[in-house]
Amino acid sequence: MDKFDLIVLGGGPAGYLAAERAGHAGLKTAVVEKRALGGVCLNEGCVPSKTFLNSAKIYEHALHGKAYGVTAENVKIDQNVVVDRKNKVVKQLVGGVGMQMKANHVTVLNGNGKICGKCEEGFKIEVDGTAYACDKLIIATGSTAFVPPIKGAKESLESGFALTNREILDLREIPEKLVVIGGGVIGLEMASYFNSVGSKVTVVEMLNKIAGPTDSEISNFLLKEYQKKGVDFKLGCAVTEIADGKVVYTENGESKSVEADKVLIAIGRRAFTQDIGLETIGVYTERGNIVTDENLRTNVAGVYATGDVNGKIMLAHTAYRESEVAVNHILGKKDKMRYHAIPSVIYTTPEVGAVGETEDSAKEKGLDFRVANISMRFSGRFVAENEGGDGICKLIIDNKYDRLIGVHLIGSYASEIIYGAAMMIESEYRIKDLKELVFPHPTVCEIIREALFQ
């Protein structure tokens, strides 16, 4: 039986980054992946969806270039080319992950991995029937799309009428009518794409707001922007059935329906912990998520859980950092995970970037805070590049310590700006110190400086 210092179960962002860091540090490391390296993020999530959204952005620029002095004729979008390019990008990046594994002397074990208890050599892991042993184990099995117990959902998925985030990224025909069940990040990004390329999109959301925990002012702004573009939102509505070319839902106790050519089920994701052998070593879970501490340790000594499988913040960049913390702990380096300044992005048009407390969460926690709120039109570059457009830069400032505790943006480049706001929150700079920072001009990011002086 081959023995490793560390085996990583799962080859997504949490898994391959953990393996890369451990291998680079000299640990004899193996990563187990049953499908393709890169996991959901690289193969059927973050990256492929961004190739779709970039194509939509270029298409919209071509359609509406007249305001900028650019006229294009017979503008079309070829969904086959969009999907082919997506596949090319994914193949290139998956290959890059494989090269990183090789460069850091990580053994890649392709197959279905399962924990099979302990043995004299340590933890026993089987990959398609072949046994391996390891001193330390990182569980990074990720998450799967949650399919709710809606009548007809299973049958609709089997027939291809309904899709999850995986199947919709291989869709080579643009549906005339698309119904999206769920107004969270995945649902909104796909609603954004298909609305841009010509589908009549309806979003059915059980809550009375879209974009989940996003600051209410920002999510309301996004809602209005997409209503202007023709997306129909059914908020506070519960889907009861998917069948016969339609989605049935209840609104204020009344049963209604909307026609669909395709349905995207995007209600959320849940940790993948089933049938991986957690019970053989007694790993503790809570509501399906593996419970971890600030070092990503489970209740079992020598076993860690990073990424979506612990259910804390299901974002690839959170998984990266968690895996670094776990590997550092294995190596005896002092480190711990902090979650208060994790940035998040919704890659719609306009983009949404957020980090830290929202106005609602600050109120719920009883914090003493103030809000600085400014239009994106205070940025010269934003005005130059967004004819007739607007956006918001919103700061949540702690009055007790006079420092930033939340930043929320909606507008162009929000995805590229928000990391700087995360650094400001993480570093706990005072507002007077932040006011001394020099931002490049003209940029959209200097809107944060403008807001600091409000």
Side-chain angles (χ1 to χ4, degrees):
M1 183 164 50
D2 204 355
K3 169 77 180 292
F4 292 90
D5 297 322
L6 170 68
I7 289 181
V8 183
L9 207 56
Y16 74 71
L17 197 282
E20 180 183 332
R21 294 287 189 268
H24 185 76
L27 296 181
K28 184 181 179 184
T29 304
V31 60
V32 182
E33 174 54 52
K34 64 182 177 182
R35 300 186 70 186
L37 287 173
V40 169
C41 178
L42 191 47
N43 291 279
E44 55 202 50
C46 319
V47 172
S49 63
K50 302 312 160 288
T51 67
F52 269 46
L53 291 166
N54 188 61
S55 291
K57 189 180 295 184
I58 293 170
Y59 179 58
E60 286 197 330
H61 284 171
L63 284 175
H64 307 297
K66 190 173 181 179
Y68 303 89
V70 181
T71 302
E73 297 180 357
N74 300 317
V75 179
K76 297 178 181 178
I77 190 158
D78 188 327
Q79 185 67 7
N80 277 310
V81 175
V82 173
V83 173
D84 288 343
R85 181 175 181 274
K86 179 267 294 186
N87 291 339
K88 181 182 72 173
V89 169
V90 169
K91 183 178 179 181
Q92 178 181 339
L93 294 176
V94 169
V97 173
M99 290 176 65
Q100 283 295 97
M101 296 301 98
K102 187 176 293 186
N104 289 283
H105 310 291
V106 175
T107 300
V108 178
L109 302 174
N110 297 112
N112 192 37
K114 189 169 184 178
I115 304 165
C116 296
K118 295 181 180 179
C119 58
E120 289 184 6
E121 291 86 355
F123 298 103
K124 183 181 178 182
I125 310 296
E126 286 191 0
V127 182
D128 288 347
T130 302
Y132 302 89
C134 60
D135 293 321
K136 305 289 184 182
L137 173 65
I138 293 180
I139 302 168
T141 46
S143 61
T144 58
F146 173 61
V147 178
I150 297 171
K151 183 180 178 181
K154 182 180 178 182
E155 293 80 4
S156 295
L157 285 167
E158 290 173 349
S159 70
F161 173 55
L163 313 165
T164 68
N165 65 290
R166 177 187 297 173
E167 296 87 26
I168 200 164
L169 291 168
D170 286 323
L171 201 60
R172 290 184 176 271
E173 293 182 0
I174 297 170
E176 184 178 337
K177 296 184 288 290
L178 174 68
V179 174
V180 178
I181 302 175
V185 175
I186 295 171
L188 289 174
E189 289 185 354
M190 289 297 96
S192 173
Y193 175 76
F194 284 99
N195 168 256
S196 294
V197 299
S199 295
K200 169 57 183 173
V201 179
T202 302
V203 177
V204 185
E205 168 57 52
M206 186 177 290
L207 300 177
N208 289 314
K209 69 184 288 284
I210 61 170
T214 302
D215 184 272
S216 295
E217 185 175 4
I218 301 293
S219 66
N220 286 336
F221 188 101
L222 185 64
L223 174 70
K224 291 174 182 176
E225 286 294 301
Y226 271 88
Q227 285 175 329
K228 291 177 189 175
K229 294 182 178 186
V231 177
D232 189 11
F233 289 90
K234 308 292 185 184
L235 302 182
C237 298
V239 174
T240 57
E241 185 178 1
I242 305 171
D244 301 324
K246 64 181 180 180
V247 172
V248 182
Y249 62 94
T250 56
E251 183 176 21
N252 298 322
E254 183 182 352
S255 182
K256 298 182 179 181
S257 65
V258 57
E259 293 182 354
D261 296 305
K262 291 290 183 183
V263 176
L264 171 63
I265 299 176
I267 291 179
R269 302 187 65 79
R270 62 182 178 187
F272 184 77
T273 56
Q274 299 79 26
D275 301 320
I276 61 172
L278 296 181
E279 70 284 353
T280 67
I281 54 174
V283 173
Y284 181 64
T285 62
E286 197 171 85
R287 300 179 65 181
N289 304 314
I290 297 178
V291 177
T292 57
D293 65 9
E294 64 183 13
N295 301 119
L296 284 307
R297 293 179 295 183
T298 69
N299 63 303
V300 179
V303 180
Y304 301 73
T306 63
D308 288 5
V309 76
N310 64 37
K312 293 184 184 295
I313 299 179
M314 290 186 173
L315 296 170
H317 46 278
T318 305
Y320 285 149
R321 179 64 187 135
E322 288 178 336
S323 289
E324 289 176 341
V325 171
V327 172
N328 282 341
H329 191 268
I330 290 170
L331 295 171
K333 297 179 180 179
K334 189 176 181 181
D335 198 0
K336 67 178 182 178
M337 188 66 199
R338 299 177 297 279
Y339 293 97
H340 70 288
I342 302 289
S344 62
V345 177
I346 305 174
Y347 294 87
T348 44
T349 302
E351 292 181 347
V352 174
V355 62
E357 302 290 347
T358 65
E359 187 171 356
D360 291 336
S361 69
K363 286 178 182 176
E364 289 171 4
K365 294 177 181 179
L367 302 178
D368 179 17
F369 71 96
R370 65 186 186 275
V371 174
N373 202 322
I374 191 171
S375 165
M376 281 288 190
R377 290 177 182 171
F378 277 78
S379 160
R381 186 179 181 188
F382 182 89
V383 174
E385 296 186 359
N386 294 272
E387 179 68 21
D390 199 0
I392 298 171
C393 174
K394 183 174 185 177
L395 311 184
I396 312 296
I397 301 169
D398 181 89
N399 286 325
K400 182 177 180 180
Y401 298 104
D402 196 37
R403 66 190 186 206
L404 276 182
I405 55 173
V407 176
H408 306 275
L409 306 167
I410 183 165
S412 53
Y413 306 109
S415 62
E416 300 294 339
I417 297 170
I418 199 64
Y419 88 94
M423 289 178 65
M424 294 174 185
I425 294 173
E426 180 71 39
S427 302
E428 299 184 344
Y429 286 125
R430 294 168 297 177
I431 297 301
K432 77 177 195 67
D433 298 321
L434 293 177
K435 287 180 176 180
E436 296 175 4
L437 293 176
V438 178
F439 287 72
H441 176 80
T443 57
V444 178
C445 70
E446 64 184 327
I447 195 67
I448 293 177
R449 176 175 167 80
E450 293 289 342
L452 289 169
F453 281 90
Q454 293 299 300

